Amino acid sequence: MALTVVGSVAFDSLETPFGERERILGGAATHFSLAASFFTRVNAVGVVGGDFGEPEWDVFRRHLIVTDDIEVVPDGKTFFWKGRYDYDMNTAHTLDTQLNVFETFAPKLSESSRNAEYVFLANIQPTLQREVGVQCKNAKFVAMDTMNYWITSAKDELTETIKSVDCIIINDAEARQLTDEPNIHKAARKILDFGLKAVVIKRGEYGATLFTKDQFFVVPAYPLESVFDPTGAGDTFAGGFMGYLASHDEITESILRRAMIYGSVMASFNVERFGTERVDALDYPEINQRFTDFKRMTHFDDIPFERATVA
Ligand code: AMP
């Protein structure tokens, strides 16, 4: 089934302890689309400037991502983000954000984008997110992301948007900030009480947790020994998660759990090289192998149950 994503398409300049890159392809919608494209047809909705070149479009083309709704403003410049990571790669330090054409972004959805059954509202202004959600009348499952900036500056609008979706995928600090609740379980339950079917809380290298009514499911991050660049890991997780869901007609607890594993698997590839380099070069056997390894490594069934007793 079709999946539509709306969000940033960007040039990123990145510094990590392992190297630097200048003005490489990035953006939430980009990372999301690439990961999701391995599972389903993806419509990307965004905006770029005249500086967005053929090498960047080629990345989308290679993965058959539909870019008809990525508006081009010929005399404008593409959104630019510069970030640095220290040895704690769970924390991005923003060095520069130049919104450029993204500042006046008004998502325009073609009929085919509007008709998608699955929709992901990446991190953009909450009212714009809601407007996109409303336009997607056929949507069976709408998920969203956000960031601390919107929680601080537009909490009421953000809350309205959260109430309109089925799932939110955010990190633990954002969940605490959003609910004024230090305990992550209580925070997740408070968000579920807005009427959502699922809340996914990401914790960087410590994995992610899925909260649904009365249940929770923890997925570790795939145990990688070489992490080069975490930029886009969250969006790649969301792309794997939503892409996998969109390859199914119905959403059950078991399918949501498998989607969590695919999210984790896709994110693990993303961080192995800078920007989109690794996911762009991925193939299906690698994805399937890592999914199999992941299941084998996290298998609890082999551990015999022993009742706790006093010796
Ligand atoms: P992630 O590491 O998954 O949180 O996402 C990183 C991506 O988000 C980068 O490729 C950036 O281009 C993009 N990004 C950074 N800041 C913003 C922002 N304020 N709005 C939208 N996208 C952003």
Side-chain angles (χ1 to χ4, degrees):
M1 269 179 274
L3 169 60
T4 291
V5 54
V6 55
S8 59
V9 178
F11 283 120
D12 290 345
S13 286
L14 309 168
E15 293 173 20
T16 83
F18 308 103
E20 297 181 10
R21 291 287 189 280
E22 286 293 327
R23 291 183 63 79
I24 59 170
L25 176 63
T30 308
H31 286 289
F32 179 96
S33 304
L34 275 179
S37 71
F38 288 89
F39 302 89
T40 193
R41 187 169 63 82
V42 183
N43 304 294
V45 184
V47 62
V48 295
D51 53 354
F52 204 74
E54 285 309 305
E56 286 78 38
W57 289 119
D58 279 345
V59 175
F60 287 87
R61 280 187 203 120
R62 266 197 289 281
H63 297 272
L64 307 178
I65 297 163
V66 182
T67 57
D68 298 352
D69 291 345
I70 300 185
E71 187 187 343
V72 182
V73 181
D75 52 357
K77 283 167 73 182
T78 301
F79 174 78
F80 173 76
W81 182 72
K82 181 170 179 150
R84 191 192 78 229
Y85 300 85
D86 299 324
Y87 276 108
D88 172 8
M89 296 230 251
N90 290 327
T91 311
H93 303 280
T94 295
L95 304 178
D96 193 6
T97 301
Q98 296 170 18
L99 292 173
N100 300 327
V101 293
F102 201 50
E103 188 161 10
T104 50
F105 177 45
K108 294 178 195 73
L109 276 70
S110 59
E111 203 177 328
S112 110
S113 290
R114 275 200 305 268
N115 282 338
E117 294 88 351
Y118 290 78
V119 178
F120 185 68
L121 311 169
N123 166 36
I124 56 171
Q125 205 278 338
T127 304
L128 286 182
Q129 288 180 310
R130 192 159 71 252
E131 284 168 9
V132 170
V134 167
Q135 284 184 55
C136 297
K137 296 256 186 286
N138 286 339
K140 287 167 48 151
F141 194 83
V142 181
M144 67 178 284
D145 184 13
T146 191
M147 69 186 293
N148 52 4
Y149 176 77
W150 301 120
I151 303 174
T152 311
S153 65
K155 196 162 182 175
D156 291 346
E157 287 157 270
L158 179 61
T159 306
E160 282 312 300
T161 303
I162 294 171
K163 286 179 179 167
S164 72
V165 301
D166 301 291
C167 173
I168 189 166
I169 306 176
I170 51 177
N171 68 38
D172 48 351
E174 290 158 353
R176 290 192 176 98
Q177 191 189 350
L178 182 66
T179 55
D180 292 317
E181 176 52 68
N183 181 290
I184 208 70
H185 293 271
K186 281 192 188 165
R189 297 282 157 218
K190 272 192 178 177
I191 304 172
L192 277 174
D193 285 345
F194 285 137
L196 283 74
K197 296 191 181 89
V199 172
V200 176
I201 300 198
K202 299 172 288 181
R203 312 183 85 173
E205 65 181 310
Y206 304 109
T209 306
L210 165 74
F211 293 86
T212 51
K213 191 174 180 297
D214 308 326
Q215 298 199 38
F216 82 103
F217 177 69
V218 185
V219 173
Y222 187 83
L224 284 179
E225 295 192 7
S226 57
V227 174
F228 276 91
D229 169 28
T231 311
D235 301 305
T236 307
F237 177 95
F241 178 83
M242 287 295 287
Y244 183 75
L245 290 183
S247 63
H248 292 78
D249 287 340
E250 51 164 5
I251 293 176
T252 62
E253 184 75 27
S254 144
I255 289 172
L256 280 168
R257 289 179 179 204
R258 263 178 283 155
M260 291 287 289
I261 298 177
Y262 273 111
S264 204
V265 163
M266 297 308 287
S268 75
F269 286 116
N270 176 72
V271 303
E272 285 182 331
R273 283 199 230 153
F274 277 89
T276 57
E277 287 167 16
R278 182 70 174 100
V279 179
D280 185 20
L282 256 186
D283 60 28
Y284 285 102
E286 288 178 297
I287 297 174
N288 292 331
Q289 184 62 52
R290 193 161 287 186
F291 182 81
T292 309
D293 289 347
F294 197 100
K295 275 189 25 181
R296 181 176 45 80
M297 283 192 267
T298 55
H299 214 281
F300 289 109
D301 293 353
D302 304 338
I303 305 169
F305 176 76
E306 284 175 45
R307 200 169 297 280
T309 53
V310 179

